[in-house]
Amino acid sequence: MSGNRSSVGIPSVDRAVAELCKLPGIGPRMAQRLVYHLLRRDRSEIESLSRALQDLHARIRHCSICGYFSESDPCHICSSDSRDRHVICVVEQPQDVFAIERTNDFHGVYHILGGALSPIDGIGPEEIRIRSLLERLRGDIREVILATNPTLEGDATALYLQNLIRPIGIRVSRIARGLPTGGDLEFADESTLAAALSLRTEM
Amino acid sequence: MSGNRSSVGIPSVDRAVAELCKLPGIGPRMAQRLVYHLLRRDRSEIESLSRALQDLHARIRHCSICGYFSESDPCHICSSDSRDRHVICVVEQPQDVFAIERTNDFHGVYHILGGALSPIDGIGPEEIRIRSLLERLRGDIREVILATNPTLEGDATALYLQNLIRPIGIRVSRIARGLPTGGDLEFADESTLAAALSLRTEM
């Protein structure tokens, strides 16, 4: 065993562990567990996993309208007849669409910014997809829902967009703040609790 | 979006998520996060991950002596000149070797049983590598350390092996029980605490 704590002294295992550790949320222990699992499985299982991962890059494009992942252009959401194209939900990242789609509660379309304004990281309005959002607003849009993250950058981005969109005469809304379902007052941070109190709704 | 909560409606993403979800410790959310990460990376990164995983099955064998994973036979531990071949540490699974090697504290060799005795699961002495262990004990062995898990099955297996090995005149030991380093008495289960008390060492 070398000085490297995650090395097990078997080159192909170490290599697989190192590759898996590049993935978010996977540390050396979990990577070893995954490798061990794969070693016990049939070879075809690894091949089918590899093929599925390689297919991602081969097949996935960005939708030219909303910027979401897609195998077709426009994506399945932008081209769906059952979606309301007059309501655009603006999010930072494609995975935010995954999250909202899971609710089964939103029937409009999306616009993916690809990030949030962050001057200290050098991300200004030109670095994210604001220009293409404004172009879409020339169409018949009823409402823009700003669903950027409830963070400093997400809030700043929402404020910036609100100032651009409201003058056009389109309704702009921001996703609500408050306690998460199943959350516990005792453990809520001050900012969340303050928002939950000031945004309280009549019963 | 279909009724399947983890579907995002993009076939190649859904397929990659489904493949990743087959792995232990990876649920739909984490799988989506991994897919999203891979989509942002260079294609070569996925290829290098796939190759590393496929190499596992192509290159890894079981050591014919100890049963550990290896690219060579015997494995790098059994064939190392710096290991004490007179001390055999018996473990249930190959990943237990990963764990013990990480301590850098054991310099003997291993024997992987491939499981533990479990009559209700139909695992008797013939189902695990006990016969090959006994064959190894015909050589010049000074000590056998029983490092099966401190579970019902692991303890039963250790007891079974002790009864076989002690009559041969070889020293048999069992890994110690007690509180884990950094552990907290308050949260220790009764069995661990009872073991820690009865196995206390003089200071």
Side-chain angles (χ1 to χ4, degrees):
Chain A
M1 168 140 178
S2 76
N4 178 348
R5 287 196 76 231
S6 70
S7 165
V8 296
I10 308 170
S12 50
V13 169
D14 287 344
R15 213 153 41 230
V17 166
E19 286 293 333
L20 288 166
C21 281
K22 289 182 189 165
L23 301 175
I26 297 188
R29 297 271 176 117
M30 174 148 186
Q32 284 182 1
R33 224 175 112 209
L34 292 174
V35 163
Y36 176 70
H37 170 89
L38 291 170
L39 278 170
R40 300 207 324 187
R41 293 290 147 156
D42 205 63
R43 184 175 188 140
S44 67
E45 206 168 297
I46 293 186
E47 269 158 17
S48 132
L49 169 65
S50 297
R51 209 165 30 242
L53 297 182
Q54 287 174 329
D55 268 5
L56 285 175
H57 263 266
R59 301 196 182 188
I60 294 291
R61 308 275 170 271
H62 285 277
C63 172
S64 59
I65 299 175
C66 72
Y68 188 48
F69 298 135
S70 183
E71 293 187 11
S72 55
D73 191 13
C75 72
H76 74 287
I77 297 175
C78 286
S79 60
S80 164
D81 284 338
S82 62
R83 310 292 299 221
D84 180 353
R85 281 169 222 172
H86 307 293
V87 178
I88 298 180
C89 178
V90 177
V91 296
E92 293 181 21
Q93 303 291 355
Q95 69 265 46
D96 301 331
V97 174
F98 291 2
I100 297 176
E101 287 294 286
R102 273 199 299 264
T103 68
N104 261 326
D105 246 10
F106 177 68
H107 307 290
V109 292
Y110 294 94
H111 189 86
I112 288 106
L113 293 173
L117 296 176
S118 178
I120 53 161
D121 298 317
I123 301 174
E126 289 299 318
E127 274 68 50
I128 58 178
R129 300 180 64 249
I130 289 180
R131 191 190 296 250
S132 60
L133 173 64
L134 296 177
E135 272 161 26
R136 289 178 75 182
L137 299 185
R138 288 191 201 142
D140 181 16
I141 304 299
R142 199 167 64 242
E143 180 178 357
V144 174
I145 302 174
L146 300 174
T148 51
N149 289 327
T151 58
L152 208 64
E153 291 80 11
D155 283 341
T157 308
L159 193 66
Y160 181 89
L161 291 175
Q162 181 212 37
N163 288 330
L164 287 177
I165 300 166
R166 189 150 295 159
I168 311 176
I170 296 171
R171 189 177 160 202
V172 187
S173 61
R174 180 87 174 101
I175 46 162
R177 269 195 184 179
L179 288 170
T181 305
D184 193 321
L185 248 78
E186 187 185 351
F187 302 118
D189 64 281
E190 297 79 3
S191 158
T192 300
L193 202 49
L197 280 170
S198 74
L199 301 172
R200 66 193 179 278
T201 54
E202 193 102 28
M203 289 188 66
Chain B
M1 167 143 177
S2 78
N4 179 348
R5 288 196 75 230
S6 69
S7 166
V8 296
I10 307 170
S12 50
V13 170
D14 288 343
R15 215 153 39 230
V17 166
E19 286 292 334
L20 288 167
C21 281
K22 289 182 189 167
L23 301 175
I26 297 187
R29 297 271 177 118
M30 175 149 186
Q32 284 182 1
R33 225 177 111 208
L34 292 175
V35 164
Y36 175 71
H37 169 90
L38 290 171
L39 278 170
R40 302 210 319 188
R41 292 292 148 154
D42 204 65
R43 185 177 186 138
S44 67
E45 207 167 299
I46 293 186
E47 269 158 18
S48 132
L49 169 64
S50 298
R51 209 166 28 242
L53 297 182
Q54 287 174 328
D55 268 5
L56 285 176
H57 264 266
R59 301 198 182 187
I60 296 289
R61 308 275 171 271
H62 284 277
C63 171
S64 59
I65 300 176
C66 72
Y68 187 48
F69 298 137
S70 183
E71 294 188 10
S72 55
D73 191 13
C75 72
H76 73 289
I77 297 175
C78 286
S79 60
S80 165
D81 284 337
S82 62
R83 311 292 298 222
D84 181 352
R85 281 169 222 168
H86 306 293
V87 179
I88 298 179
C89 178
V90 177
V91 296
E92 292 181 22
Q93 302 291 356
Q95 68 265 46
D96 302 330
V97 174
F98 292 1
I100 297 176
E101 287 293 288
R102 273 198 298 266
T103 67
N104 260 327
D105 246 9
F106 177 68
H107 307 290
V109 292
Y110 294 94
H111 189 85
I112 288 106
L113 293 173
L117 297 176
S118 178
I120 54 162
D121 298 317
I123 301 175
E126 290 298 318
E127 274 67 51
I128 59 178
R129 301 179 64 249
I130 290 180
R131 193 190 295 250
S132 60
L133 172 63
L134 296 177
E135 273 160 26
R136 289 178 76 183
L137 299 185
R138 288 190 200 143
D140 180 18
I141 305 299
R142 200 167 62 242
E143 179 177 358
V144 173
I145 302 173
L146 299 174
T148 51
N149 289 327
T151 57
L152 209 63
E153 292 80 11
D155 283 340
T157 308
L159 193 65
Y160 182 88
L161 289 175
Q162 181 211 35
N163 288 330
L164 287 177
I165 300 167
R166 189 151 292 161
I168 311 177
I170 295 171
R171 189 178 160 200
V172 186
S173 61
R174 179 88 174 100
I175 45 162
R177 267 193 186 181
L179 289 169
T181 305
D184 192 321
L185 246 78
E186 187 185 353
F187 302 119
D189 64 282
E190 298 78 4
S191 157
T192 300
L193 202 48
L197 281 169
S198 74
L199 301 171
R200 67 195 179 277
T201 54
E202 192 101 27
M203 288 189 68

